[in-house]
Amino acid sequence: MSTHLILFASRDGQTQKIADAISQHMSESGLHVELKNIETSEPQLSRYTSVLIGAPIRYGHHLKSIQRFIASNHGQLSALPNGFFSVNLTARKPEKQSRENNRYMQKFLKKSAWQPGYCGALAGALLYSRYPWYDRLMIQLIMKITGGSTDTSVDIEYTDWDKVNAFAQGYVAHLSKTIKL
């Protein structure tokens, strides 16, 4: 049986929620999926038929654990059908949800030796209540500059679950073109 890996990093839990939703959609499509957090396991890529990696942005960068994993495994990643999704608050704006218009996705693709076969930018959540005071202050400043919410008494989930499902459908379609499902 072929097994498809979804590997993610998550700082405040939103990327994990998104990875869970993608995993559920893939499972409902008849695929056997393993969901793994890079913080708790480093999977052997040779065990998988495909790999999808998800990472959030914090202070303008994808989490280092994902960056290190990709840098160490880009050859194996490239040999498998694969994809990548970036979870960031910039994607709360519809015009910033495409691979071409999301600066974090563009920055990732420019710097990475690995070039994923399928990519997406998905909106995350603004969870002021979970941030330490310093992060709360810095993120509030960033949100002010970018026209986002600065009300630290309110958490906002910007994730559009229909877009997450569409991304998952697109990824399954991508896989069906590259491997026999």
Side-chain angles (χ1 to χ4, degrees):
M1 170 187 288
S2 62
T3 303
H4 304 271
L5 174 65
I6 298 176
L7 181 65
F8 68 92
S10 192
R11 174 64 67 72
D12 299 305
Q14 195 67 16
T15 304
Q16 181 170 357
K17 283 175 61 176
I18 292 169
D20 286 338
I22 294 169
S23 174
Q24 182 176 343
H25 180 83
M26 289 175 66
S27 295
E28 289 169 359
S29 297
L31 301 177
H32 180 257
V33 179
E34 284 187 20
L35 187 63
K36 299 215 180 258
N37 185 331
I38 190 67
E39 302 298 331
T40 57
S41 75
E42 189 160 321
Q44 291 283 26
L45 294 178
S46 61
R47 295 186 49 234
Y48 300 100
T49 305
S50 72
V51 62
L52 176 65
I53 296 178
I57 289 291
R58 185 57 64 98
Y59 295 125
H61 303 282
H62 290 97
L63 296 184
K64 289 198 184 307
S65 55
I66 286 291
Q67 290 180 40
R68 281 191 299 268
F69 181 83
I70 290 170
S72 298
N73 296 284
H74 67 85
Q76 282 185 286
L77 287 168
S78 297
L80 294 169
N82 62 65
F84 177 76
F85 63 95
S86 175
V87 178
N88 58 75
L89 291 175
T90 301
R92 74 187 186 278
K93 300 175 181 179
E95 69 276 10
K96 300 294 184 180
Q97 295 172 356
S98 73
R99 171 185 181 143
E100 298 77 25
N101 292 337
N102 187 280
R103 68 183 175 143
Y104 297 118
M105 182 63 73
Q106 285 302 305
K107 186 173 159 183
F108 170 80
L109 293 170
K110 188 175 183 178
K111 290 174 68 176
S112 179
W114 174 54
Q115 295 298 297
Y118 189 81
C119 292
L122 302 168
L126 182 59
L127 305 173
Y128 282 121
S129 67
R130 295 187 191 178
Y131 305 147
W133 72 270
Y134 179 77
D135 285 345
R136 187 171 36 251
L137 184 64
M138 293 305 294
I139 292 169
Q140 186 181 32
L141 176 63
I142 293 166
M143 293 307 285
K144 182 176 179 131
I145 292 168
T146 63
S149 173
T150 58
D151 183 352
T152 61
S153 68
V154 178
D155 288 347
I156 302 170
E157 184 177 75
Y158 288 108
T159 305
D160 181 333
W161 295 103
D162 289 336
K163 291 200 185 308
V164 172
N165 286 334
F167 174 83
Q169 283 179 319
Y171 183 62
V172 170
H174 168 73
L175 292 178
S176 70
K177 292 176 188 170
T178 57
I179 55 177
K180 184 176 176 166
L181 297 180

